[in-house]
Amino acid sequence: MIEGIRPAGLTADAARARLAADGPNELPRAGQRSIVRIALEVLREPMLALLLAGGVAYLLLGDMTEALILLGFATFSVAVTVIQETRTEHVLEALRDLSAPRALVIRDGTRVRIPGREVVRDDLLVLEQGDRIAADAMLVEAADLQTDESLLTGESLPVGKVIAMPGVTEETPRPGGEGQPYVYSGSLVTRGSGISRVLATGSRSEIGRIGQSLATLDTEVPRLRRETTRIVTWCGIGGGAVALLVVLLFGLLRGGWIEAVLAGIAIGMSMLPEEFPVVLTVFLAMGAWRIGKVGVLTRRAAAIETLGSATVLCTDKTGTLTENRMSVAELWLPSGEIHMIGTDAVPDAYHGLIETAALASAAEPTDPMEIALHGAHGAVRGAAVSAGALAHAYALRPDLLAMSNIWEDGAALNLSAKAPRRRSPACATCPRTNMRR
């Protein structure tokens, strides 16, 4: 354990004081849009406003057919867009809660589980397999600890962690890479256990910095929307000017100002491109609904315009162009013989190799390679790995670059061994040992 770290952790009073000073351990919460706000944002779109104005104008002119068609399209577009964006808001809010999991901390010498938002700087976090880490922290104890940092780095393989040595800086480097003494908020413990001291919470953590940088991005209006708005605006100005001229001439020459206003509205509506807003709003709303059926979230229907005009799609390979899964392709024997998996039945000579590889992996694997070895064993032997109880597991370490498992198959283990890590894997006191390099 690092010098200066108290095994008892913070006191409850100290934790409350730091929580009041630093604020809760959560990402800044953007104002959630209500249904009314979403509807008002949709109605502010120039094309939808023009569509509604056209429908009202036709109502004033007494043309119920045209009015109902325009108002029907407008109402449908508004309803679909509001429903889609409201659902997206709820889903995004649920996803946001993943950044503030519950945490097991040591306070006043006792392990207590608290909401992630109450974790404070210098808290001692207890990490176990399957835990989502609640804050950026530095390891003071670790036993075969591996974490999945794909949320921050995009790399799907877990990385190994080591305890911090005396004098190590508390400035956390960028996530990623093996052998670091730092763990990061939002990452997942895939193997082992440990205790870490919290260095940064909330917006000061790595995931918080990402959220802050995303908040500074400005949403650019899609080009199709800009061009259509420009055309509609010029058509509206021209139609308005002609309609005003008709009203003035009709009123001055014939004297019927009510008839003049109706005539001006009729002329203006005939010059306005009502089809533009109908086509764009309806089809964008339909596009948002269709991609929503396959699980794609669209916070703004206008984003579909950008998606439709994309000509180059840039991706990484892991999990995007591949299945993000590993599989056993070849089996090699010490004699030099090679067998390709999938060509035909695996000969009996290779069964021992497959069983040894599976037994040298974790009993319940999370690492992609170990999952592949268990899968190959099940496909070849037709059953899950079964070798009695797992007595002990030796992790990869500098003095032996191999992973070793000791399985108990009925014989008693010698529990009085003084230095089990120095014993030969084939010693008589170990009923069954498997290694994987």
Side-chain angles (χ1 to χ4, degrees), residues 97-98 100-105 112-117 119 125 131-134:
D97 291 339
L98 290 177
R102 295 186 63 82
L104 184 63
V105 300
V112 293
R113 191 167 295 278
I114 62 173
R117 67 186 308 274
V119 173
L125 283 177
D131 289 347
R132 187 171 294 277
I133 300 171

Side-chain angles (χ1 to χ4, degrees), residues 93-423:
E93 186 66 18
L95 292 177
R96 181 188 172 281
D97 291 339
L98 290 177
S99 64
R102 295 186 63 82
L104 184 63
V105 300
I106 301 176
R107 289 184 180 174
D108 293 317
T110 305
R111 297 189 177 192
V112 293
R113 191 167 295 278
I114 62 173
R117 67 186 308 274
E118 296 180 8
V119 173
V120 298
R121 186 168 40 87
D122 284 336
D123 252 334
L124 292 182
L125 283 177
V126 180
L127 307 177
E128 298 289 348
Q129 182 172 337
D131 289 347
R132 187 171 294 277
I133 300 171
D136 289 3
M138 182 169 60
L139 286 170
V140 295
E141 291 183 10
D144 192 21
L145 185 66
Q146 292 183 351
T147 63
D148 178 0
E149 298 177 353
S150 58
L151 183 67
L152 299 170
T153 65
E155 294 295 332
S156 60
L157 295 180
V159 292
K161 299 294 181 178
V162 297
I163 63 172
M165 302 303 293
V168 67
T169 177
E170 293 189 359
E171 291 293 329
T172 57
R174 303 296 298 175
E178 291 278 344
Q180 286 192 7
Y182 304 101
V183 292
Y184 300 91
S185 175
S187 56
L188 189 69
V189 179
T190 59
R191 168 180 279 182
S193 60
I195 297 177
S196 60
R197 181 167 65 90
V198 175
L199 301 178
T201 60
S203 59
R204 293 171 292 277
S205 64
E206 284 295 322
I207 193 172
R209 293 171 188 168
I210 294 175
Q212 287 181 322
S213 65
L214 293 178
T216 62
L217 297 178
D218 294 328
T219 304
E220 184 179 356
V221 179
R223 182 177 178 181
L224 177 61
R225 177 62 57 87
R226 294 198 305 267
E227 293 295 327
T228 306
T229 302
R230 184 174 62 85
I231 293 173
V232 171
T233 301
W234 281 108
C235 290
I237 293 173
V242 172
L244 181 60
L245 182 61
V246 168
V247 171
L248 292 175
L249 291 176
F250 194 100
L252 292 174
L253 296 178
R254 298 192 180 184
W257 288 101
I258 295 180
E259 291 81 0
V261 172
L262 293 176
I265 293 175
I267 292 295
M269 289 303 301
S270 66
M271 298 182 66
L272 294 179
E274 297 96 342
E275 293 80 6
F276 284 6
V278 170
V279 171
L280 289 176
T281 54
V282 171
F283 280 90
L284 288 179
M286 292 295 294
W289 175 68
R290 290 183 63 183
I291 66 175
K293 291 177 64 178
V294 295
V296 179
L297 300 177
T298 308
R299 192 169 191 180
R300 298 286 191 276
I304 300 175
E305 301 175 17
T306 305
L307 181 64
S309 61
T311 56
V312 177
L313 182 63
C314 300
T315 68
D316 64 352
K317 63 179 181 63
T318 305
T320 305
L321 303 181
T322 64
E323 294 182 349
N324 197 22
R325 291 196 300 267
M326 298 179 70
S327 60
V328 178
E330 294 183 2
L331 300 174
W332 293 9
L333 292 179
S335 60
E337 298 176 68
I338 299 176
H339 177 77
M340 299 288 294
I341 294 289
T343 54
D344 48 23
V346 178
D348 293 341
Y350 295 89
H351 288 192
L353 171 63
I354 293 176
E355 183 176 11
T356 300
L359 290 173
S361 305
E364 296 185 2
T366 56
D367 182 84
M369 183 173 67
E370 296 183 344
I371 293 175
L373 294 174
H374 276 255
H377 181 276
V380 173
R381 303 300 297 270
V385 178
S386 178
L390 178 62
H392 195 80
Y394 295 106
L396 191 71
R397 58 191 189 276
D399 57 327
L400 179 60
L401 298 180
M403 295 176 60
S404 310
N405 289 339
I406 300 178
W407 299 86
E408 184 177 5
D409 58 359
L413 285 175
N414 184 356
L415 300 179
S416 62
K418 295 181 180 179
R421 287 185 178 271
R422 295 180 182 176
R423 293 185 303 184

